[in-house]
């Protein structure tokens, strides 16, 4: 009996690691590396244990070899600035965990992340393998902390928590935007002075509170501050704060960024924007479909977030395709959903290179074309399905059966 139990344990452990047991080579692919290597044709990538181990090796040594037939292989796309896994049905309050009225800079919504959300496999259809979910917070200008998760659908899919601090500035329904910018400067100044005092008085130094620790991380450049803002003058105010406090700043929204594109590029501040957000507002009078192209041409590192609801995240590639139709090169559009997103959040993803995570997508054609689909996807080197609840419903309601509609034998 003990031997039988030991055998079962061995089998269980073997099964648990079997997904990594095989090394895989994808051959004869058109690989968009998102590195200095650029685009490689008739190329091979080998990955094992969730990591890319070789690109164009002299000899292919892998357990499984897949002939891509010249098709496109890209890094897995990266979603950001959404509430994926935190909202199931927007209209049902009990399924919304992305906001909290009393939330502040310490708010970490990752505890509520649902890897089994039906939105996640649907999102994988858009070639998205990784996502940065952000809280919407509450009344405080600090909305909380962003977190990184893969879209494997597994319970251990959260890769990193506290990857960035989210702050919402700009136009206010009540009060003045000036007060928020002033508050932010004062918080940074107070924290800086407290750190300076603590260095001088090491004996009497107290451990800072959690909120202070988050501010200190910003001052130390340990994590980026993602600031929602549109108006050009607000952007300039943030650039001044970046210079004054040496912040790792990322601008989100950036509706009127084209007006100060050169200043943003000179400050080396990335911009996260919706590629098809072109409706003007009082804070974004110069926003058009060509905004992303203008920013790229100025030398700004642009990353795309989906335009609209979190449930439309799978459409990120279509938004990128529209930007190509409005002046952005295909390579820059790919960077805007891979490498540039990774760089903005300081995460190890978005490129095909030796040592990088094997988050890969093999496409049937041009990723930005409507008719293209994901043929195969690997997350951490494990092939992952793109079948979703919508596919199951389609099959159920179109199945041939003698029973009433919506039933199957």
């Amino acid at each position: 009996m003990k031997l039988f139990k030991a055998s079962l344990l061995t089998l269980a452990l073997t099964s648990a690691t079997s997904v990594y047991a095989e090394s895989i080579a994808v051959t004869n692919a058109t690989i968009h590396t998102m590195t200095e290597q650029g685009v490689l044709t008739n190329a091979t990538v080998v990955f094992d244990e969730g990591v890319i181990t070789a690109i164009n090796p002299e000899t292919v040594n892998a357990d499984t070899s897949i002939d891509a037939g010249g098709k496109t292989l890209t890094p897995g796309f990266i979603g950001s600035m959404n509430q994926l896994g935190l909202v199931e049905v927007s209209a049902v309050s009990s399924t919304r965990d992305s906001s909290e009225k009393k939330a502040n800079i310490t708010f970490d919504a990752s505890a509520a992340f649902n890897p089994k959300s039906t939105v996640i496999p649907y999102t994988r259809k858009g070639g998205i393998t990784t996502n940065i979910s952000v809280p919407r917070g509450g009344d405080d200008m600090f909305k909380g902390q962003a977190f990184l998760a893969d879209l494997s659908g597994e319970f251990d899919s959260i890769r990193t928590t506290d990857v960035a601090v989210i702050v919402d500035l700009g136009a206010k329904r009540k009060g003045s935007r000036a007060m928020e910018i002033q508050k932010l400067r004062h918080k940074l100044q107070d924290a800086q002075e407290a750190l300076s005092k603590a260095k001088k008085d090491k004996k009497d130094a107290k451990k800072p509170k959690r909120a202070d620790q988050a501010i200190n991380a910003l001052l130390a450049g340990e994590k980026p501050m993602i600031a929602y803002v549109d108006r050009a003058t607000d952007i300039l105010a943030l650039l001044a704060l970046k210079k004054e406090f040496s912040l790792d700043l990322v601008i989100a929204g950036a509706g009127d960024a084209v007006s100060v594109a050169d200043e943003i590029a000179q400050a080396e501040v990335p911009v996260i924007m919706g590629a098809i957000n072109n409706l003007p507002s009082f804070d974004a009078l110069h926003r058009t479909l060509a905004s992303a192209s203008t920013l790229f041409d100025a030398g700004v590192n642009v990353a795309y977030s989906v335009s609209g609801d979190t449930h439309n995240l799978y459409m990120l590639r279509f938004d990128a395709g529209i930007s190509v139709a409005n002046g952005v090169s295909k390579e820059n559009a790919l960077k805007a959903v891979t490498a540039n997103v990774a760089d903005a959040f300081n995460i190890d993803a978005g490129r095909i290179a030796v040592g990088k995570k094997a988050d890969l997508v093999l496409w049937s054609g041009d990723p930005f074309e409507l008719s293209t689909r994901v043929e195969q996807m690997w997350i951490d080197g494990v092939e992952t399905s793109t079948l979703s609840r919508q596919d199951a419903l389609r099959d159920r309601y179109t199945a041939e059966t003698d029973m009433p509609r919506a039933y199957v034998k």
Side-chain angles (χ1 to χ4, degrees):
M1 186 65 178
K2 288 183 179 180
L3 180 61
F4 176 68
K5 287 183 177 179
S7 300
L8 285 179
L9 178 60
T10 302
L11 178 61
L13 291 173
T14 303
S15 300
T17 58
S18 63
V19 290
Y20 289 126
E22 286 190 333
S23 57
I24 299 174
V26 179
T27 66
N28 191 24
T30 302
I31 302 177
H32 292 258
T33 66
M34 302 295 104
T35 69
E36 292 180 355
Q37 286 189 292
V39 181
L40 306 176
T41 56
N42 300 319
T44 297
V45 60
V46 182
F47 50 97
D48 191 16
E49 298 292 330
V51 176
I52 296 172
T53 56
I55 295 176
N56 279 342
E58 291 185 5
T59 57
V60 177
N61 184 17
D63 298 315
T64 300
S65 185
I66 299 168
D67 186 351
K71 293 174 181 175
T72 298
L73 185 74
T74 70
F77 291 177
I78 307 172
S80 66
M81 310 310 291
N82 57 69
Q83 289 74 50
L84 186 67
L86 300 176
V87 178
E88 189 67 21
V89 181
S90 300
V92 180
S93 60
S94 62
T95 71
R96 300 195 303 259
D97 294 302
S98 61
S99 62
E100 166 58 48
K101 186 176 177 63
K102 297 180 180 180
N104 59 18
I105 195 171
T106 65
F107 180 42
D108 177 13
S110 65
F113 179 72
N114 178 19
K116 302 302 180 181
S117 167
T118 59
V119 187
I120 288 177
Y122 187 57
T123 298
R124 289 199 295 260
K125 288 182 175 295
I128 298 171
T129 58
T130 312
N131 187 67
I132 296 109
S133 294
V134 300
R136 286 181 172 167
D139 295 336
D140 195 89
M141 67 174 170
F142 287 108
K143 302 307 175 186
Q145 308 270 336
F147 64 91
L148 174 72
D150 67 48
L151 301 194
S152 63
E154 300 298 328
F155 287 116
D156 61 352
S157 56
I158 293 180
R159 291 184 178 177
T160 314
T161 59
D162 302 343
V163 297
V165 171
I166 310 300
V167 60
D168 189 8
L169 301 171
K172 302 297 171 188
R173 292 182 181 178
K174 295 182 180 180
S176 169
R177 75 184 70 215
M179 180 59 75
E180 296 296 271
I181 294 175
Q182 180 178 308
K183 278 184 182 178
L184 178 58
R185 173 174 275 107
H186 289 172
K187 282 181 180 291
L188 293 168
Q189 287 175 339
D190 292 345
Q192 197 172 61
E193 290 172 4
L195 285 171
S196 179
K197 185 178 179 181
K199 287 181 180 179
K200 293 179 181 178
D201 305 324
K202 292 183 179 180
K203 292 181 180 179
D204 298 327
K206 297 180 180 179
K207 183 178 180 180
K209 295 180 180 180
R210 288 187 178 88
D212 295 329
Q213 290 176 31
I215 292 287
N216 293 345
L218 293 179
L219 291 171
E222 294 172 356
K223 65 177 67 176
M225 182 178 78
I226 316 295
Y228 284 108
V229 70
D230 281 319
R231 187 188 281 185
T233 53
D234 294 335
I235 294 173
L236 292 176
L238 281 169
L239 296 183
L241 287 178
K242 170 188 166 57
K243 184 176 181 180
E244 182 179 352
F245 297 101
S246 301
L247 300 174
D248 182 1
L249 173 67
V250 180
I251 296 170
D256 221 27
V258 293
S259 301
V260 288
D262 291 337
E263 289 85 347
I264 296 171
Q266 187 175 1
E268 298 182 343
V269 172
V271 165
I272 303 174
M273 62 185 300
I276 63 172
N277 283 350
N278 68 328
L279 293 179
S281 69
F282 288 114
D283 275 12
L285 293 173
H286 301 92
R287 178 162 51 193
T288 71
L289 288 176
S291 290
S293 176
T294 301
L295 292 173
F296 269 119
D297 290 345
V300 177
N301 281 344
V302 179
Y304 293 155
S305 59
V306 70
S307 302
D309 190 85
T310 297
H311 293 68
N312 290 329
L313 181 53
Y314 82 102
M315 294 181 65
L316 182 62
R317 67 186 182 101
F318 301 142
D319 289 7
I322 292 173
S323 79
V324 173
N326 287 274
V328 177
S329 70
K330 283 191 175 182
E331 203 65 8
N332 275 340
L334 270 175
K335 286 181 180 178
V337 293
T338 55
N340 287 359
V341 192
D343 291 346
F345 289 92
N346 301 320
I347 58 175
D348 184 26
R351 291 178 173 85
I352 298 178
V354 174
K356 290 288 186 181
K357 284 183 177 295
D359 290 349
L360 304 167
V361 180
L362 183 64
W363 302 88
S364 64
D366 184 338
F368 300 147
E369 289 291 339
L370 288 173
S371 59
T372 297
R373 58 184 173 80
V374 174
E375 291 208 337
Q376 287 179 275
M377 170 185 284
W378 295 269
I379 298 178
D380 263 353
V382 179
E383 186 165 5
T384 307
S385 172
T386 61
L387 290 177
S388 68
R389 180 173 181 269
Q390 285 76 4
D391 295 313
L393 288 171
R394 176 202 62 205
D395 294 343
R396 176 180 179 181
Y397 283 96
T398 60
E400 292 294 332
T401 175
D402 295 332
M403 299 180 73
R405 296 290 291 177
Y407 288 87
V408 293
K409 292 181 180 179

